Amino acid sequence: MRTPILISSTDDTVSITVQQRSSVAPSKAFRIIVPIDLTSVFHRVAPFPGVKSVANQTEEWDHVGPTRNPQFDDGSQVDEQLTEYTEGSSFAYQLTGFTNVLSRLAAGVRGEWNFNPDGDGTLLRWTYEFKPLPGRRWILAGPFAPLWRRYMVAALARCVRAVEAAQGNS
């Protein structure tokens, strides 16, 4: 069963985008990042937990539709579904059903990764778009945003290191 799309053009969302370059070609970076072991890159960056495991993955993460439940090291979890997939260049997913503090701040999140040519390498761009609950936008856009950006920067750096290491092994 496909989850309804979380965010529409009329929603007043909070977006946070980070980017980093890699010397690896976009198609190769894409093939490494899409199925990456979440526990290897999403570590705890206070106040946010790291991913300790993934449960209930329905199928390979290589087309629109699969779902899974990332489990965090603080005992919380989230429902994740792959909502867009363009081979070699981008993918998007939505996160809903948070069991941590985000359940009181956002109805959900749309995450999107883009793998853009950058000379011989790739400019990886990752966006988290939060759909705030009523009256909570100011929290997400204000005190929450710099803390979440720090979490994303750390995770993206680990992703790029994984891409570069895989390139070195081929």
Side-chain angles (χ1 to χ4, degrees):
M1 179 171 81
R2 192 171 259 162
T3 304
I5 297 301
L6 175 70
I7 296 174
S8 73
S9 60
T10 60
D11 290 319
D12 188 14
T13 62
V14 175
S15 291
I16 301 170
T17 300
V18 295
Q19 63 183 32
Q20 190 172 335
R21 288 178 164 78
S22 169
S23 62
V24 176
S27 61
K28 174 131 183 156
F30 180 90
R31 284 192 308 273
I32 295 164
I33 296 292
V34 172
I36 202 161
D37 173 10
L38 301 182
T39 66
S40 71
V41 293
F42 294 101
H43 300 172
R44 178 175 179 73
V45 177
F48 304 110
V51 174
K52 77 169 183 180
S53 65
V54 175
N56 308 316
Q57 185 159 331
T58 57
E59 45 195 308
E60 291 300 314
W61 209 248
D62 62 0
H63 62 282
V64 171
T67 61
R68 60 189 180 189
N69 299 105
Q71 310 287 306
F72 301 106
D73 59 19
D74 66 355
S76 65
Q77 70 171 11
V78 68
D79 301 325
E80 182 179 22
Q81 181 173 28
L82 195 57
T83 57
E84 296 177 28
Y85 186 90
T86 303
E87 178 68 42
S89 66
S90 68
F91 68 96
Y93 51 93
Q94 61 186 33
L95 303 166
T96 56
F98 290 99
T99 63
N100 57 21
V101 71
L102 277 175
S103 70
R104 294 187 291 279
L105 297 175
V109 173
R110 180 183 189 277
E112 180 178 339
W113 285 77
N114 291 278
F115 301 78
N116 302 301
D118 186 51
D120 291 336
T122 303
L123 175 64
L124 292 91
R125 184 172 292 132
W126 178 29
T127 299
Y128 243 55
E129 185 179 11
F130 293 87
K131 181 176 181 175
L133 289 172
R136 306 301 198 300
R137 187 181 193 291
W138 72 271
I139 298 170
L140 290 170
F144 181 88
L147 297 172
W148 189 255
R149 178 179 303 282
R150 189 177 66 176
Y151 183 85
M152 290 177 71
V153 166
L156 179 58
R158 284 190 284 280
C159 287
V160 169
R161 281 195 297 275
V163 166
E164 299 285 337
Q167 177 69 10
N169 294 331
S170 22

